[in-house]
Structure formats: C-alpha cells, structure tokens
C-alpha cells in the first residue's frame, strides 16, 4: 500500500510506529498533487512551504517521544471559503482573487491545535453557488473517476482531491448539498453536520441559516475523526452549540459502540424520494443498500414527507435572499476587486460599486443577487420570502413527524449520475434540480451523511442517511455498518 492510499487511522499508526515520517507523508501528497492536479484542478492554491513546516513540527514531536493527536501530520485540503491566516482565500471568485485571510477560521484553529497539515485550498463554485464546480472563476474541476464529468459541487475540489488521493481528508461546506453531492459524485464520504454543530466563524458566508462546514473523507471512520475534531461550541459563532451538554443539546446521548445494533433501529424510506426523475441505476443501488440494512435486522418503514416537492422552490427563494444580503459587503471599496483608481478615476461611489460588482462577480452569483434582492423587495417580500419561510416550517414539521417514528431516513443523494462538463452550466434550472434530495436537509437543519453504495458503470452513487438533530454519531454508526458489510 502506498502512502497516498492510507486512511487517517492507517497513516496515524504508520507515523506512530515510525514506518514513515510526517515529512515523507506530506511529500508523497505534494508529489501526487503535482502529478494529478494538472488534469483534475482540485486545488486553487497549494501551500507547499506551510505543509512542509507543519509536517516537520510533527516529526519533531515524534522524535521527542511525545504522544501525537490522531490528525497530527495528516495531509488535508480546505475548501477555499474557509480562512487560513496569511493564505489567499478566493471563494472561487474574481472579486476575492487577491484576498489574503487575516485570521484563522475556528475549524482551522482547532485543526492546527491537532497539529494538522494543510496542503492547500480547493476549488469550488463561486461563493459555493452551484452543483458542478463549473461556476468557479478559475475553471472547472474534473471528476477523478471520469475526467469528462463534473465532480459535483460546490465542494467539488475537496471531494475530487480526496478521490484522487491528493489529500487524506478535506473540509467542505454545505448550504444545500455541497458536501454530500460532490462526495456522492466522486465516490467518497461526506457529512453535513446539524446546524450549530460546527462553528462557521471564518467561513465566507453564503446563506447563513443554511451553511455548515463538514468533512469529506475516504471512509466513515475518518469522517468521525474529523467531525470530532472540528465540532463544538464557539463563542465567535452564536449559532454553535455544545454537543456534549445535556442542557444545550436536547438529543444528547452517548451510544456505546458495543451496544449499537442495527437490528434495534427503525429506518424510514420516504415514498416521495422514489419518483419519476430518479435515475433507474441509482434507484436500484439505493434500494439494494436499504435491503442490506433489512438483512442486518433493521426495521424498514415506508414514510411520507408530503412537502418534499416544495423544498426545492423554497430553498431557491431563501438561499438567494440570504446570499444577496451576505454579498452586499463586496463593494469594491473595503476589500476585494475594485475598479476604483485613485487620482484618475472620475467615477462616483455608486459607479465604483456597480462596476466592481459587475466585473468581480460571475453570472451565477449575479443571478442569485438579483433573485434574492427581488424576493426581499417591498411588495414582493410577503409573496416570496415570507411564503418560502412558511413552506420551510411545513418541511420541518414533516421531518419532525417522521422522526417520531424512525431513527434515521435513507434515500438517494442525487437524482442523476455525475454529468458531463458543460452539460448543464448554461441551464440554471436543470442545475438547481440536481439538489432535489439535499436542500430540505439544510432547510430543516438536521445532519446527513453521503456514503458510496455502488457504481453505475464507473460512476459512483451515494446513499444519503439523514439523522435527527445532533445525532451525527448515530448516522455515522449506521454508515459504518454498511461499509463493513460491503468489505466482507
Ligand atoms: N447546489 C446548491 C446551490 O447551488 C447547494 C450549494 C451549497 O451547498 N453550497 O445552492
């Protein structure tokens, strides 16, 4: 097994047993990036010097005989909307092309505390708006499983980097599916944590009532390790909560691994998820996975989420509304791309705003700003934004009702297989439809895991396991059991 084949646990053991050094491990990944990333383009920025110096620090700890944390020396990649102090952070946009992060995001601070190694920043749809990574201002990422196809999005660079073994794990962000869908398209594991489970301080805001940061990994065990490292209350993000506090987390319970049994579980399968539009190959694999859980002894129950069809339209009102407000800060004055030229410029302040934004933002971002501004404007607010929020409540009620009957929900991640580069980029509505199974989870705020459950030809398919709020442990455990039966 080569160094780039290793999972986090395997690499950790190798480091501890001194089979290889952190520097050797880091160099193996930097070499892999040099070899493969020219065709995949998962990375926007590679921080070779930082990575090597972080790896060296870990080697020093090991030679000093110190016990190292599990993520120490493990090479990782970070989606380019998460700030690392002193490193460029573009959000995939021309408007932030030369923006250097002035501080560390909380997740980065936490990983630095674990002695993590950062290889670089990964490509994404501009400001995380999209499902294919084609909306990046710097060019598309390719799917390592088939270079003619998209890796999904918006965390396509992160998922592709893990799948191409250009890093051991990556961080992504998920506002409407951006961790789960690329994980599914690239055949890796992705977790969208519960809203509030992970601090968003230092995450470039997209739609603040929906955004969450989460891990993309090679397997479920690694996903648990990274989630444990990044989760938790942070005073810099007032929406974050302490998962280990019985007072803050109503669903807090410890599941001793030995007692966790699939046969004690009730798993719900929403009838609204298996309808026209779902690729038959995907349907077959997801149903086969559900069957496997049944064979393991789980009680499978058909459930109903009656407002499913309204989740996508509600999301595409709420998401652009919040995005239009969050993106108002890029004005060409405070920071980022600007057309303002001191001395020679005769533009008024408004001209500077309009031109900087017009030139700095790509088409999809401008589309969302227009849609969002429209739905929030006087006279339309009640008809669009308010109505969408009411629909959101109905969707949330559906899930709450179902979660009284079952422990978790199973279904597909994406209705279609990874599509060809260029196939949908000119057709926004068909791009939005790809999110049909993922956006409701963000509207409701619950956690969901995307797990490889087979392939159609060479194209990976993901199973989605949706949990109750703050029950990441349970969906990860459910996912791991499936992974284990597949390995048998
Ligand atoms: N594809 C969805 C959108 O474009 C989700 C994006 C995301 O989760 N960041 O909004």
């Amino acid at each position: 097994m080569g160094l780039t084949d290793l999972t986090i646990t395997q690499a950790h053991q190798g480091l501890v047993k001194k089979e290889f050094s952190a520097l050797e491990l880091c160099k193996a990944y930097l070499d892999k990036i040099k070899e493969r990333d020219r065709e995949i383009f998962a990375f926007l920025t590679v921080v070779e010097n930082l990575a090597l110096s972080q790896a060296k620090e870990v080697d020093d700890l090991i030679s000093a005989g110190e016990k190292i944390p599990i993520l120490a020396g493990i090479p990782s990649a970070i989606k380019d909307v998460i700030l690392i102090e002193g490193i460029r952070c573009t959000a995939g946009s021309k408007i932030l092309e030369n923006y250097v992060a002035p501080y560390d995001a909380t997740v980065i601070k936490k990983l630095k505390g674990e002695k993590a190694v950062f290889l670089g920043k990964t490509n994404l749809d501009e400001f995380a708006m999209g499902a294919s990574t084609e909306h990046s201002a710097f060019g598309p990422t390719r799917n390592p499983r088939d270079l003619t196809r998209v890796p999904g999005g918006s965390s396509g660079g992160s998922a592709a980097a893990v799948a191409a073994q250009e890093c051991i794990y990556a961080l992504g962000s998920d506002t409407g599916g951006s961790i789960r869908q690329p994980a599914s398209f690239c055949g890796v594991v992705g977790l969208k944590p519960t809203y509030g489970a992970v601090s968003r301080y230092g995450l470039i805001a997209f739609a603040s009532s929906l955004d969450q940061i989460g891990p993309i990994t090679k397997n479920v065990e690694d996903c648990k390790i990274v989630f444990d490292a990044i989760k938790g209350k942070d005073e810099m993000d007032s929406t974050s909560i302490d998962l280990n506090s019985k007072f803050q987390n109503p669903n807090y319970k410890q599941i001793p691994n030995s007692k966790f049994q699939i046969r004690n579980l009730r798993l719900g399968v929403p009838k609204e998820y298996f309808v026209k539009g779902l690729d038959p190959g995907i349907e077959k694999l997801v149903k086969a996975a559900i069957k496997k859980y049944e064979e393991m002894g789980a009680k499978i129950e058909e459930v109903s989420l009656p407002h499913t069809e309204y989740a996508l339209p509600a999301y595409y009102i709420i998401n652009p509304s919040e995005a239009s407000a969050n993106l108002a800060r890029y004005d060409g004055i405070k920071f980022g791309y600007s057309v303002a030229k001191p001395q020679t410029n005769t533009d008024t302040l408004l001209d500077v705003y309009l031109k900087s934004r017009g030139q700095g933002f790509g088409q999809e971002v401008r589309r969302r700003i227009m849609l969002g501004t429209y739905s929030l404007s006087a006279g339309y607010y009640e008809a669009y934004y308010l109505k969408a929020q009411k629909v959101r409540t109905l969707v949330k009620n559906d899930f709450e009702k179902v979660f009284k009957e079952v422990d978790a929900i199973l279904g597909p991640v994406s209705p279609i297989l990874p599509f060809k580069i260029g196939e949908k980029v000119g057709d926004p509505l068909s791009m939005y439809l790809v999110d049909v199974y993922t956006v409701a989870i963000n509207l409701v705020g619950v956690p969901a895991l995307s797990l490889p459950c087979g392939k159609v030809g060479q194209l990976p398919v993901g199973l989605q396991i949706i949990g109750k709020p703050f029950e990441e442990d349970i969906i990860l455990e459910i996912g791991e059991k499936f992974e284990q039966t597949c390995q048998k």
Side-chain angles (χ1 to χ4, degrees), residues 95 127 129 205-206 320-335 353 357 361 365 369 373:
I95 214 158
F127 284 99
M129 299 176 186
F206 171 10
S321 300
E322 293 186 12
S324 70
N326 271 325
L327 270 61
R329 73 192 70 182
Y330 306 103
D331 58 6
I333 297 288
K334 293 191 206 75
F335 54 88
Y353 290 166
R357 289 166 67 81
F361 288 138
V365 176
I369 291 173
T373 314

Side-chain angles (χ1 to χ4, degrees), residues 73 76 120 304 313 422:
S76 63
S304 175

Side-chain angles (χ1 to χ4, degrees), residues 298-321:
K299 194 159 178 294
I300 307 292
E301 286 174 28
E302 187 185 85
V303 294
S304 175
L305 296 165
H307 297 93
T308 293
E309 66 175 306
Y310 305 110
L312 192 78
Y315 171 87
Y316 274 101
I317 298 284
I318 293 169
N319 169 300
S321 300

Side-chain angles (χ1 to χ4, degrees), residues 79 127-131 153-154 173-179 206 211 315-316 319 364 368 431-432 435 438-439 442:
K79 185 177 183 181
F127 284 99
M129 299 176 186
S154 63
S173 65
D174 191 313
T175 301
S178 278
I179 289 175
F206 171 10
D211 299 338
Y315 171 87
Y316 274 101
N319 169 300
E364 180 60 26
R368 302 243 182 160
M431 191 76 91
Y432 297 170
D435 306 329
T438 50
V439 294
N442 301 70

Side-chain angles (χ1 to χ4, degrees), residues 2-24:
L3 291 182
T4 55
D5 296 317
L6 303 175
T7 63
I8 294 174
T9 322
Q10 290 164 341
H12 176 69
Q13 278 159 6
L15 288 172
V16 171
K17 290 188 192 144
K18 299 190 181 165
E19 286 164 13
F20 46 82
S21 68
L23 216 47
E24 282 167 333

